[in-house]
Each structure stands twice: as structure tokens, then as C-alpha cells.
């Protein structure tokens, strides 16, 4: 069994800094290190439709945005297979069978599902498709026999469900599927980047995002109005760095080199934090520094995105080729799944022979 890396994103909008730091950056690193047998990255449009059923156009429009973000961030279609979830019918097939191995109460207890139901005001009326998306996600992971899933911490309960379902499948039908491992960012603040409003998570649905494709100007507007410490009113006041989004972002993005290059008054982030806590350091100075760091990181992506935008038909071509390739793996696993589940009737010559013997003997 090799090392198979897989992750996806919902094409519900452009990708943001949370996606990048929580998962996408790691995927690009893993891809470039090359220490894997197969790598898949996909657009989870089937999942996106579970809470956007009445707005398919939104999903359709965002496929290309996410594809451009992937390529701009450095995913290389020569090294990793990029595909669109809905174009792999084997995924729906496996989802159907895995649903038999999970109970409703198991999904009801899933903390990510609970939060998302609340966020979408689905409490009174949960679409059944949305409720079942953790199983569809388990199928995504299992179908490709993924061993490694680089994601943010909101995905931890999903990977746990996947591991359980895979275990149940293998116990019931025989060893076919593989239990995946989650790969969380090493830097704990990157596991769940807060929004620019200081809310728990940067999320498209909450409108508190800095997008990878934002212009330098847009980034500055957003950084300038970022949530800090509401009690830090005057420069001389002592400030709090905990729960202060500017400092959380500095935790996530700044390096000692950034201090040497752009703010040599401080050796590192600890020194800056000490000064902020003592008082005498204004928010604006910290925001300007953060703005420089974020824009330095995003500028090469903006440039690459512009280049890729010049040939949009080629991007769809990349997605089509990736999808065709992913289907080959999907078809192989599904053959094994059907065989293990004893539903491979037409391929089983032994079965047909046995049945004809059985009916002959009844005469
Ligand atoms: P939606 O609001 O449509 O659910 P989202 O912004 O939550 O969108 P997803 O497509 O659900 O994004 O997530 C894709 C990947 O990015 C997942 O691996 C998830 O863990 C990671 N991710 C998303 N937001 C963050 C964040 N704020 N911090 C760290 N990782 C994140
Ligand atoms: Mg999400």
C-alpha cells in the first residue's frame, strides 16, 4: 500500500487565507517533496450542492475560480490529479453502500455537522443530502484508498467517521478500503484561522475572508479594519494579543526574517507581543506589518493567476484530463467493492455455474 494524498474544497467561492494555511499550502509542499504514490485534489461540487441546491449557478461559476486558485497556489496538474467530484459517478455508488454502515445518531453527534446546521439555520428542516454529506465525504476518501488527508481541524470529525466506516466495511465484506490519517498543520493557529472580524473561523459563508486573489488594495482595506483588542483604545493602553486577530495572523504568517526585513525594531514576534502587552504600540503599525507580509505571500499567486486566466479553455482541459484519470482509479476500487459485497453478478462465472447446478439438481 502506497502513500495516497487526497483533499477537496467546496466550489462555493474563491479560496481564502484559511484554505491556504489550513490545507492548500501543505498540499503544494507535499506535491513538491514528491514523497507519494498518487495525489488527488478535487472540487467538491456534489457536497456544495447539499446546501446550495437552489443555486447551482453559484457552483458552476466557482469551479473555474477554485481551479485558478489551485494553479496560482502552485498545484501542478503534471504531479497531482485535479478533478470534479460530480463527474465521478462511482462516488455516488460507494456513498449509497457506505450509508448502510452508519447510523443517524452517529451523524447527529458529529460536532462539525452540528455547527454547520446551526450556521445555515437548518435546525428545523435539514436537507437529507446535507445531513448525509459526511458519508459522501467518507466515500471520496475511501474510493481513492487515500492514506493521507491534509485538512484544517474542522475536518477532524469527518475523518473519524471515514475511519469508522472503512473499518465497518472491511469487517463486513473483507479488506478492500484503507483507513486514512488526517494531516493537520503543524502550527496550531493554522488549523482554524479566524476571520478578519475575529470570529472563530474564516469562512466563505461568514463573509470574513481575505481571498488569495484579492488585490493589494483589497487586502489593505480588510487588514486595516481587522478586529484587534476592543479595550486597546489609546496607543499607550496595554493591549491583549489573545483573541486579537492581527496577532493570530502574525502567529500564522510572520517569520523572524520578516522582522529583519520590514521591522528590525523587534527580533521576533515575542518581542512585538511584549511591547503590545506593555502598551505604547499602536494597532496601525502592526496592521501595516501584517499587510506587507500577506501581500508578499499573495503577490506571486496573483501574477500566476493572471497568466492562467489567459487560457481558460486549457484550464477546463486540465480538469477534464484529471477527471478521466481519477475515474480509472475509481472504477478499479468499485470493481473490488462490488466483488467484496457480492454484487458482481455478471462477472462471476462461478456463480452462474453454481446456480445452474442447483436448479438442475432440484429436478
Ligand atoms: P464553506 O463556508 O462553503 O463551508 P469553507 O470556507 O468552510 O467554505 P471548505 O471548502 O469547507 O471551506 O474547506 C476546504 C478546506 O479548507 C478544508 O480542508 C478546511 O479544513 C480548510 N479550511 C477552511 N477554512 C479554514 C480556516 N478558517 N482555517 C483553516 N482551515 C480551513
Ligand atoms: Mg466548510
Amino acid at each position: 500500500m502506497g502513500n495516497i494524498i487526497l483533499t477537496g474544497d467546496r466550489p462555493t467561492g474563491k479560496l481564502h487565507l484559511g484554505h491556504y494555511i489550513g490545507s492548500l499550502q501543505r498540499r503544494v509542499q507535499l506535491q513538491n517533496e514528491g514523497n507519494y504514490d498518487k495525489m488527488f485534489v478535487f472540487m467538491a461540487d456534489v457536497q456544495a450542492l447539499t446546501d446550495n441546491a437552489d443555486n447551482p449557478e453559484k457552483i458552476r461559476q466557482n469551479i473555474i475560480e477554485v481551479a485558478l486558485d489551485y494553479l496560482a497556489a502552485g498545484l501542478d496538474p503534471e504531479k497531482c490529479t485535479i478533478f470534479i467530484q460530480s463527474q465521478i459517478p462511482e462516488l455516488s455508488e460507494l456513498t449509497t453502500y457506505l450509508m448502510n454502515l452508519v447510523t443517524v445518531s452517529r451523524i447527529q453527534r458529529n460536532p462539525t455537522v452540528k455547527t454547520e446546521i446551526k450556521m445555515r439555520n437548518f435546525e428545523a428542516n435539514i436537507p437529507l443530502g446535507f445531513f448525509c454529506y459526511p458519508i459522501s465525504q467518507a466515500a471520496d476518501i475511501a474510493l481513492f484508498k487515500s492514506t493521507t488527508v491534509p485538512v484544517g481541524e474542522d475536518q477532524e470529525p469527518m475523518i473519524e467517521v471515514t475511519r469508522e466506516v472503512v473499518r465497518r466495511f472491511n469487517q463486513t465484506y473483507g479488506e478492500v478500503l484503507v483507513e486514512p490519517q488526517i494531516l493537520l498543520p503543524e502550527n496550531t493557529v493554522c488549523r482554524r484561522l479566524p476571520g478578519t472580524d475575529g470570529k472563530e473561523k474564516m469562512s466563505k459563508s461568514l463573509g470574513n475572508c481575505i481571498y488569495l486573489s484579492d488585490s493589494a488594495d483589497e487586502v489593505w482595506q480588510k487588514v486595516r479594519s481587522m478586529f484587534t483588542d476592543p479595550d486597546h483604545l489609546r496607543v499607550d493602553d496595554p493591549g491583549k494579543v489573545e483573541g486579537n486577530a492581527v496577532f493570530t495572523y502574525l502567529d500564522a504568517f510572520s517569520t523572524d526574517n520578516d522582522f529583519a526585513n520590514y521591522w528590525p525594531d523587534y527580533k521576533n514576534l515575542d518581542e512585538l507581543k511584549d511591547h503590545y502587552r506593555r502598551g505604547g504600540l499602536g494597532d496601525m503599525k502592526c496592521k501595516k506589518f501584517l499587510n506587507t507580509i500577506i501581500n508578499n505571500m499573495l503577490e506571486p499567486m496573483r501574477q500566476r493567476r493572471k497568466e492562467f486566466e489567459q487560457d481558460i479553455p486549457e484550464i477546463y482541459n486540465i480538469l477534464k484530463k484529471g477527471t478521466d484519470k481519477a475515474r480509472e482509479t475509481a472504477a478499479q476500487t468499485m470493481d473490488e467493492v462490488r466483488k467484496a459485497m457480492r454484487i458482481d453478478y455478471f462477472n462471476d462465472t462461478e456463480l452462474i455455474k453454481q446456480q445452474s447446478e442447483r436448479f438442475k439438481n432440484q429436478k
Side-chain angles (χ1 to χ4, degrees), residues 194-195 197-199 227-230 240-248 251:
D197 55 0
K199 282 202 186 128
F227 180 83
T228 56
D229 169 8
K240 261 211 315 274
V241 299
E242 290 75 24
N244 180 327
V246 171
F247 280 91
T248 311
D251 272 324

Side-chain angles (χ1 to χ4, degrees), residues 189 192-201 226-232 239-251 273 276-277 283:
V189 291
R192 185 183 298 249
L193 191 75
T196 50
D197 55 0
K199 282 202 186 128
E200 203 186 334
K201 186 179 167 230
M226 258 175 90
F227 180 83
T228 56
D229 169 8
D231 298 324
H232 186 240
K240 261 211 315 274
V241 299
E242 290 75 24
N244 180 327
V246 171
F247 280 91
T248 311
Y249 282 34
L250 287 173
D251 272 324
K273 283 182 178 173
Y276 192 82
R277 286 195 184 102
D283 283 349

Side-chain angles (χ1 to χ4, degrees), residues 191-259:
R191 295 179 180 181
R192 185 183 298 249
L193 191 75
T196 50
D197 55 0
K199 282 202 186 128
E200 203 186 334
K201 186 179 167 230
M202 180 177 282
S203 166
K204 286 166 270 183
S205 317
L206 297 173
N208 56 10
C209 305
I210 294 178
Y211 293 99
L212 301 182
S213 50
D214 276 350
S215 69
D217 233 33
E218 285 167 320
V219 171
W220 172 235
Q221 293 311 324
K222 291 178 183 180
V223 171
R224 204 173 61 163
S225 52
M226 258 175 90
F227 180 83
T228 56
D229 169 8
D231 298 324
H232 186 240
L233 297 174
R234 279 176 303 259
V235 173
D236 287 339
D237 291 341
K240 261 211 315 274
V241 299
E242 290 75 24
N244 180 327
V246 171
F247 280 91
T248 311
Y249 282 34
L250 287 173
D251 272 324
F253 298 106
S254 74
T255 62
D256 291 355
N257 259 345
D258 292 321
F259 281 94

Side-chain angles (χ1 to χ4, degrees), residues 65-164:
E65 298 286 358
V66 174
L68 286 165
D69 285 332
Y70 281 167
L71 298 169
L75 287 183
D76 176 353
E78 296 293 320
K79 296 181 185 156
C80 86
T81 305
I82 305 176
F83 70 91
I84 304 181
Q85 190 185 26
S86 61
Q87 306 306 301
I88 313 281
E90 288 83 357
L91 279 171
S92 307
E93 194 179 349
L94 185 57
T95 303
T96 304
Y97 299 133
L98 296 186
M99 277 203 249
N100 299 334
L101 306 174
V102 190
T103 62
V104 169
S105 69
R106 179 67 187 86
I107 304 300
Q108 272 166 340
R109 286 202 308 271
N110 183 307
T112 301
V113 174
K114 270 191 188 162
T115 318
E116 291 182 339
I117 285 174
K118 230 192 233 144
M119 235 170 76
R120 287 162 178 75
N121 294 320
F122 277 167
E123 283 107 328
N125 256 319
I126 312 171
L128 193 53
F130 181 82
F131 185 76
C132 296
Y133 95 72
I135 311 306
S136 144
Q137 200 167 322
D140 300 334
I141 297 170
L143 187 62
F144 294 92
K145 300 193 178 181
S146 321
T147 53
T148 311
V149 187
V151 283
E153 98 189 337
D154 59 315
Q155 295 304 309
E156 228 167 354
M158 302 301 168
I159 309 297
E160 210 31 63
V161 170
T162 307
R163 292 168 59 84
E164 276 175 36

Side-chain angles (χ1 to χ4, degrees), residues 350-363:
E350 199 50 37
L351 168 77
I352 299 168
K353 218 160 80 192
Q354 275 168 13
Q355 296 296 2
S356 59
E357 289 300 320
R358 184 158 77 88
F359 283 92
K360 248 186 240 151
N361 293 341
Q362 274 178 7
K363 272 187 212 150

Side-chain angles (χ1 to χ4, degrees), residues 171-329:
Q171 278 160 9
T172 313
Y173 304 115
E175 290 283 327
V176 173
L177 305 178
V178 176
E179 269 187 62
Q181 301 289 336
I182 190 168
L183 191 65
L184 290 167
E186 274 152 23
N187 184 347
T188 49
V189 291
C190 300
R191 295 179 180 181
R192 185 183 298 249
L193 191 75
T196 50
D197 55 0
K199 282 202 186 128
E200 203 186 334
K201 186 179 167 230
M202 180 177 282
S203 166
K204 286 166 270 183
S205 317
L206 297 173
N208 56 10
C209 305
I210 294 178
Y211 293 99
L212 301 182
S213 50
D214 276 350
S215 69
D217 233 33
E218 285 167 320
V219 171
W220 172 235
Q221 293 311 324
K222 291 178 183 180
V223 171
R224 204 173 61 163
S225 52
M226 258 175 90
F227 180 83
T228 56
D229 169 8
D231 298 324
H232 186 240
L233 297 174
R234 279 176 303 259
V235 173
D236 287 339
D237 291 341
K240 261 211 315 274
V241 299
E242 290 75 24
N244 180 327
V246 171
F247 280 91
T248 311
Y249 282 34
L250 287 173
D251 272 324
F253 298 106
S254 74
T255 62
D256 291 355
N257 259 345
D258 292 321
F259 281 94
N261 291 335
Y262 306 108
W263 212 355
D265 298 355
Y266 306 93
K267 244 207 235 91
N268 53 39
L269 186 54
D270 285 337
E271 281 191 8
L272 185 76
K273 283 182 178 173
D274 283 344
H275 192 181
Y276 192 82
R277 286 195 184 102
R278 279 199 308 272
L281 176 60
D283 283 349
M284 229 6 125
K285 280 190 178 169
C286 303
K287 287 178 171 176
K288 279 189 181 147
F289 178 55
L290 176 63
N291 182 59
T292 304
I293 294 170
I294 294 179
N295 274 319
N296 280 347
M297 183 178 77
L298 295 185
E299 189 49 33
M301 290 190 222
R302 288 187 197 116
Q303 300 287 342
R304 275 201 297 270
R305 200 181 210 271
K306 274 214 190 80
E307 285 166 30
F308 285 115
E309 283 171 0
Q310 302 310 307
D311 193 355
I312 293 296
E314 176 53 19
I315 312 291
Y316 281 101
N317 199 20
I318 289 171
L319 298 180
K320 168 87 172 61
K321 274 206 231 154
T323 303
D324 289 344
K325 197 164 159 209
R327 263 202 95 173
E328 287 170 22
T329 305

